[in-house]
Amino acid sequence: MRLLLVEDDDRVAAALSAVLARHGFEVVHARGGEEALRRLLPDGAAPPFDVVLLDLGLPDIDGFEVCGRIRRLTSTPVIMVTARADVRSRVHGLNLGADDYVVKPYDTAELLARIHAVSRRTAAAPVAAPAGAPGDPGADRAAGGEGGSTRAAGTGELSLGPLTIETDTRRVTVHGEAVSLTRKEFDLLALLAQRPGVVFRREQIISEVWRTNWEGTGRTLEVHIASLRSKLALPALIETVRGVGYRLVAPTG
């Protein structure tokens, strides 16, 4: 796996690069935002990067801006690695398109698990089964029913009140207006929308969306839920079931 490490502290970069190399990564180090953006430009002489580890405290450009510019250049997964632990920074980073957010100091094993989880999701994006196909959790709701949802026959479109989820194109609209979601935000919403009204346990969500059972992912799940609520502007859409998990409550009007 080819990884771009964006870190201005050479000592931190050297130590982390050594650990990543021992685990089979090819690491390219960029000391600032401009250098990172240059290295991410298509280059026929070098293979593309699989993951970007992005520090936020860079000397030339703020890491948040770098993340936004990376998203305009490429769909390469971005993991923010930073000492900024406040929820506002987490939500802002995820809204800009980051695929994960890891707070320093971190456990190396956790970071490695997150890198592998992100790369697995990117390499194998889920493909929606046709409505009514065997094993399709929405088949019994094809003509409307549980949770007030409807699925258009023969399409990957799921409608819940003003919310429409197009699983084939990974497009989401609210009242006909497109809503931009990150990959994980869409996967999380699509999972909950499969069975409106049914409570999904936190462990189940983490397993299916993050493809891991790593305990540290729990905080990331909370941040993604908060981000979805904010972006969709449907505050009652995702209900927290204390001590268990979350469920999607089909909106009306």
Side-chain angles (χ1 to χ4, degrees):
M1 188 182 299
R2 194 161 186 261
L3 184 147
L4 178 62
L5 173 61
V6 189
E7 169 64 65
D8 65 316
D9 189 320
D10 287 342
R11 289 178 298 178
V12 171
L16 182 55
S17 294
V19 171
L20 292 170
R22 287 199 299 272
H23 285 82
F25 291 90
E26 176 190 345
V27 181
V28 175
H29 177 209
R31 292 175 176 79
E34 291 290 359
E35 182 184 355
L37 293 168
R38 286 196 305 271
R39 289 185 177 275
L40 281 167
L41 291 173
D43 181 359
F49 290 99
D50 297 292
V51 178
V52 177
L53 289 185
L54 175 64
D55 183 38
L56 295 183
L58 301 174
D60 53 351
I61 311 175
D62 181 76
F64 287 129
E65 181 180 345
V66 174
C67 181
R69 290 169 64 177
I70 288 175
R71 272 295 152 263
R72 292 192 289 271
L73 283 173
T74 175
S75 60
T76 304
V78 175
I79 300 177
M80 290 183 171
V81 184
T82 175
R84 303 180 195 179
D86 60 290
V87 173
R88 180 177 298 180
S89 292
R90 291 173 182 261
V91 171
H92 184 46
L94 294 167
N95 284 343
L96 286 171
D99 294 84
D100 208 342
Y101 192 107
V102 178
V103 177
K104 299 177 181 178
Y106 51 80
D107 184 271
T108 303
E110 178 182 357
L111 179 62
L112 289 166
R114 289 176 181 267
I115 292 171
H116 285 298
V118 164
S119 63
R120 284 196 302 270
R121 291 194 302 274
T122 305
V127 177
D136 174 16
D140 59 346
R141 301 188 304 280
E146 180 185 341
S149 66
T150 60
R151 185 185 298 275
T155 73
E157 181 178 300
L158 180 66
S159 295
L160 304 103
L163 173 68
T164 299
I165 303 170
E166 299 175 10
T167 55
D168 293 341
T169 59
R170 299 178 67 83
R171 184 171 182 266
V172 173
T173 59
V174 176
H175 295 294
E177 296 292 326
V179 179
S180 178
L181 301 180
T182 66
R183 281 186 293 271
K184 287 190 300 300
E185 287 170 351
F186 180 89
D187 292 343
L188 174 55
L189 177 62
L191 175 66
L192 296 176
Q194 288 178 6
R195 303 179 67 191
V198 173
V199 178
F200 284 78
R201 293 177 294 102
R202 292 170 58 89
E203 297 84 356
Q204 179 184 0
I205 297 172
I206 291 171
S207 174
E208 297 198 27
V209 176
W210 275 264
R211 306 286 182 181
T212 181
N213 59 2
W214 196 265
E215 294 181 0
T217 312
R219 183 57 177 163
T220 300
L221 170 59
E222 294 172 3
V223 172
H224 278 73
I225 291 289
S227 181
L228 272 176
R229 286 169 172 159
S230 174
K231 286 186 176 183
L232 297 172
L234 297 170
L237 176 67
I238 302 175
E239 179 181 319
T240 302
V241 181
R242 189 175 299 276
V244 182
Y246 299 93
R247 67 180 166 197
L248 189 144
V249 179
T252 58

